[in-house]
Amino acid sequence: MRKRAGIVSLAVFGLLAVSVPLFAHHGNAAFESKLTTVTGTVTEYFWANPHVLVRIDAKDASGNTAHWTVEAQNTVSMRDIGWRPDTFKPGDVVTIDVNQAKNGHPVGSTGGSSPTSAKRRIIINGKQFQ
């Protein structure tokens, strides 16, 4: 009986040890807490798991083109708040509020995607989304 309990304990410990890094993936530590507004033209839209991505060409403060990658949540979560596979199309002019990467690169996150999460400003071709 003790041997069986030891094996079960070892198996549970092993599963917990493997699953802990999975939770770390979904943290927001890489992003600033303040919002940054990105305005530009959509170049690509990826409706795929594990994260929906929108690529935007936007002018930076110097007038140079910055190639932004905006990361949203998974397709199921994004569908719950109204995003669809055709929400963005290449050529759309968008304004979107994101949390920029702390390293200053043109990478941003749209934050949480639950219906109770704070709504981010998204304007597509002059029309407010959400």
Side-chain angles (χ1 to χ4, degrees):
M1 183 72 173
R2 289 188 91 161
K3 185 176 181 179
R4 186 174 188 191
I7 291 171
V8 169
S9 296
L10 184 61
V12 169
F13 176 77
L15 287 173
L16 287 173
V18 170
S19 66
V20 169
L22 296 176
F23 292 112
H25 168 76
H26 292 281
N28 288 321
F31 299 99
E32 297 285 348
S33 57
K34 68 180 178 101
L35 292 178
T36 298
T37 301
V38 177
T39 299
T41 304
V42 173
T43 59
E44 294 179 273
Y45 178 49
F46 296 97
W47 181 261
N49 284 315
H51 296 279
V52 174
L53 299 174
V54 182
R55 295 223 168 109
I56 302 167
D57 281 354
K59 298 288 183 191
D60 64 16
S62 304
N64 299 317
T65 300
H67 305 288
W68 278 82
T69 299
V70 176
E71 174 184 285
Q73 300 298 317
N74 62 73
T75 56
V76 173
S77 295
M78 298 314 295
R79 190 176 290 277
D80 287 347
I81 63 167
W83 288 39
R84 299 288 180 262
D86 62 350
T87 298
F88 299 95
K89 293 173 281 321
D92 285 346
V93 176
V94 299
T95 297
I96 186 167
D97 290 337
V98 301
N99 297 99
Q100 185 173 2
K102 286 183 178 176
N103 64 10
H105 290 222
V107 175
S109 169
T110 60
S113 61
S114 77
T116 58
S117 294
K119 300 290 184 234
R120 301 296 174 96
R121 179 175 56 142
I122 301 172
I123 299 171
I124 305 170
N125 295 324
K127 189 174 179 186
Q128 180 78 32
F129 177 80
Q130 293 177 322

